[in-house]
Structure formats: structure tokens, C-alpha cells
Amino acid sequence: MTAFTTSDFDFALPPELIAQHPAAERSASRLLDGSGPQPMDRVFRDLPALLNAGDLLVFNDTQVVNARLFGEKPSGGKLELLVERVLADGTVAAHMKVSKKPLPGARLRMAGGFEAELLGRWPNADGPLFHLRFSGDAYELMALHGHVPLPPYIERAQAGDAATGDTPARREDQARYQTVFAKHPGAVAAPTAALHFDEALLAALDARGVQRAAVTLHVGAGTFQPVKTEAIDQHVMHHERYRVPPDTQAAIAACRARGGRVVAVGTTSVRTLESWAASGQAEGDTNIFITPGFRFQVVDALITNFHLPRSTLMMLVSALAGHAHIMALYRHAIAQRYRFFSYGDAMWLERAAQA
């Protein structure tokens, strides 16, 4: 088997292809059909034609929370929090952007009139995140005073001026950086492949006899991080919480029994399903790292957006469909001016034969 390095997953992307806004209609995005030896250009609402009655689409029903919060230290220095997760006791673990880190015990004044007490680092004393206690319910405070945690490559509303004002772009993000079936709050990034589905497309899939099920994986900010080590096995994966409910487990078993395909909507659904298969645990934390050579146990096909160069997600799709095939599809997508990343277009992939 080929020994890949991180550079094998690099490519040059013209910056103007990074989508800054969603398509006018969810299902009007383009869809690159990568199921055959030659790519085929489609529109996302064509998806039912690629599916058979009895296939099972597995969505991630996580809900993006308004995880970006602005405030200041007791000294008056400005800061920004990105809440990575709300913990079982109601406290939060968050990234902090600030000129000088405050010390444990500091009470931070947050925009909206609430306080955040800094308890220390998380998940341990040397952890990468900050452990804080808000002066109220974390989910309620984020809903009232937080902002959509847009990815770093979406250039608007990424600086301190995002703390104030209401603009058409921000209203658009509130509506469109969320799936139509988002249910369980906890993600700081959207499961972007699912952003292309609207009610009309879901009705068309139902009419075709395609089944649906849901898993939950609360997407973390680590999903945007490039791999910085050239040796893939030296990369440390981030952790994310997941759950595969009993009715989804039953739906997958029924799909297998009738000869249907399990189609993951997004890489987060892949990570969830394959974590469950590998561990036998239907819920918990996963840091699964899927790279070429990985043996898939659940997923037969994938609907996915286009990913960052040198990222773990480029490695995941290459593991599923084959490295050479993926790189050829990306070259085609760039030549045909597909739109990339979270608000971009999508791709249909089928699992290559496993050795």
C-alpha cells in the first residue's frame, strides 16, 4: 500500500472559488458526480437519480449554536470566546482570543451583560481550551448574545466588529449556516453537506423510496485545522461527541438486510458511523482518523462538500474513494469553477473496492 504524506493531499485553490455566501436556493448548488471513471456535472436537486429505493441516507442532526461571544477582561482588554462544548455540569470549554491570557478566577464581562468566570484550562491543567462558568444557562446566553461561528475562510464578520450590528449577511448566516433538520444544539460548525437539502428535495427522496436516519456529531473547531505534520501518523486528532440512536442502528440493519446502500451525508456522519462500528459504543467521544487504508464497515457512499488542502477530511474522502480519483475530481472541480468549502458545492462519492 502507498505510504502517503500530508503533501499528497495538497492542491492549489484559486481564492475566488472559496464561497463567501450560500447559493440562492439550497438544492440549486452544483453536484459533482464522482461515481464513474469520468466526472459528471450535475445540480444538487438531481440527487434522487443517483439513489435507489431502499437506500438509506444518514444525516447529522446537530444544531450549530451561536458559539462566538465577545467581551473584555477586568482590565478592559478585548477578548473573543468560541465555545467548543457545553459540559455536563453546565460549564463550558472554549477557545479564547485575547492579547494576554487572564488568570484563573478572572471575571470576564461579556457583551450582553453576563459574566464568565475563568476556572482554568480544559480538559486538564495544560489543556488547549479554557474552562469557564457563565452567570446563566450557557445555551440561553449563546442564543441571546452569541454570533454564528463562521469558518475562518469566510471573510466577513470575523473581527471584533461582529459584536455589534445586524446586517443582511448576518441574517443570511443565521438562516443558512444551519440544516433544515438541525435538532440537537452543540456544534460550532455546520455539517455542510447537509446544507444542500431543502423540503422539496427531501420530499422527492421520499417519493423515490429512499429511507432516512439521523446520527448526532457535534462538530468542533478542529475540523478546520490543517495537518501540520508531514508524517500523517504524527497528527493528533481533535475529539468530538457523537451518538448513534437505537432507531438508526435498526435502520442500518434493515438497509443491509434488503440490499440497500448506507449513504453518509457529510464526513461527520462517516466519522460517527465508523466510530460506532469500530468501538461498539453508540455514544461517546471520538478522535477517529480515517486515512487511506482504512477499512470501512458501514458507509457505502458519501455526499460531501469540497475540503481544505492538507486536511484530515481530504484524507477521509481519499480513503473512501481512492486518492488518485479524489485528486482528479478536485482538478476537474477547479477547472469547472465549482464553489469550495462550507457554502460551496457538493460531490457524490462511492466507496472504492477494499483490498
Side-chain angles (χ1 to χ4, degrees), residues 116-179:
E117 180 187 359
L118 178 58
L119 303 176
R121 303 300 282 254
W122 190 89
N124 51 50
D126 299 315
L129 300 180
F130 290 83
H131 189 197
L132 302 114
R133 178 185 291 113
F134 292 167
S135 58
D137 180 82
Y139 286 116
E140 291 180 4
L141 290 171
M142 285 190 287
L144 287 170
H145 308 298
H147 301 267
V148 177
L150 292 176
Y153 45 73
I154 294 180
E155 295 173 354
R156 65 182 182 281
Q158 295 297 303
D161 61 356
T164 59
D166 184 27
T167 66
R170 289 185 60 206
R171 289 194 295 272
E172 175 186 70
D173 294 326
Q174 288 282 357
R176 294 294 301 275
Y177 196 64
Q178 193 82 266
T179 66

Side-chain angles (χ1 to χ4, degrees), residues 28-315:
S29 299
R30 298 170 74 188
L31 176 65
L32 178 55
D33 179 0
S35 60
Q38 298 299 320
M40 183 176 295
D41 301 309
R42 297 179 179 268
V43 178
F44 199 84
R45 63 172 61 98
D46 295 340
L47 178 65
L50 300 176
L51 292 159
N52 304 316
D55 286 345
L56 178 69
L57 285 173
V58 182
F59 294 92
N60 181 3
D61 64 5
T62 188
Q63 182 180 8
V64 180
V65 295
N66 292 343
R68 294 180 73 225
L69 299 162
F70 297 86
E72 59 183 38
K73 299 183 293 182
S75 64
K78 302 299 183 183
L79 61 88
E80 176 184 335
L81 298 179
L82 177 64
V83 176
E84 179 78 14
R85 66 170 70 183
V86 178
L87 304 174
D89 63 358
T91 60
V92 304
H95 305 266
M96 185 185 301
K97 188 184 295 184
V98 66
S99 59
K100 184 179 180 181
K101 308 297 185 189
L103 297 174
R107 293 185 176 275
L108 313 176
R109 297 187 296 270
M110 305 303 297
F114 68 98
E115 278 193 347
E117 180 187 359
L118 178 58
L119 303 176
R121 303 300 282 254
W122 190 89
N124 51 50
D126 299 315
L129 300 180
F130 290 83
H131 189 197
L132 302 114
R133 178 185 291 113
F134 292 167
S135 58
D137 180 82
Y139 286 116
E140 291 180 4
L141 290 171
M142 285 190 287
L144 287 170
H145 308 298
H147 301 267
V148 177
L150 292 176
Y153 45 73
I154 294 180
E155 295 173 354
R156 65 182 182 281
Q158 295 297 303
D161 61 356
T164 59
D166 184 27
T167 66
R170 289 185 60 206
R171 289 194 295 272
E172 175 186 70
D173 294 326
Q174 288 282 357
R176 294 294 301 275
Y177 196 64
Q178 193 82 266
T179 66
V180 297
F181 35 73
K183 186 177 181 181
H184 300 291
V188 302
T192 55
L195 295 178
H196 304 286
F197 289 83
D198 54 27
E199 295 300 341
L201 179 56
L202 293 173
L205 290 164
D206 290 344
R208 192 168 176 83
V210 177
Q211 305 295 303
R212 284 187 267 153
V215 296
T216 305
L217 182 138
H218 293 311
V219 191
T223 191
F224 301 118
Q225 296 301 312
V227 179
K228 296 179 181 178
T229 60
E230 187 62 13
I232 292 172
D233 60 2
Q234 292 179 9
H235 176 69
V236 178
M237 279 292 288
H238 59 288
H239 286 254
E240 293 168 317
R241 291 174 292 163
Y242 76 93
R243 181 170 184 263
V244 184
D247 56 348
T248 296
Q249 298 176 40
I252 291 169
C255 179
R256 288 277 180 255
R258 63 176 174 261
R261 296 174 297 177
V262 176
V263 180
V265 180
T267 56
T268 61
S269 293
V270 176
R271 286 168 50 77
T272 304
L273 293 170
E274 297 298 336
S275 294
W276 164 55
S279 68
Q281 301 299 312
E283 58 183 300
D285 265 39
T286 181
N287 64 340
I288 191 170
F289 190 10
I290 298 176
T291 60
F294 182 87
R295 294 195 61 81
F296 291 86
Q297 298 183 62
V298 182
V299 176
D300 300 306
L302 169 64
I303 300 162
T304 185
N305 280 23
F306 295 92
H307 304 296
L308 291 164
R310 303 174 67 90
S311 65
T312 61
L313 302 181
M314 280 294 291
M315 297 172 189

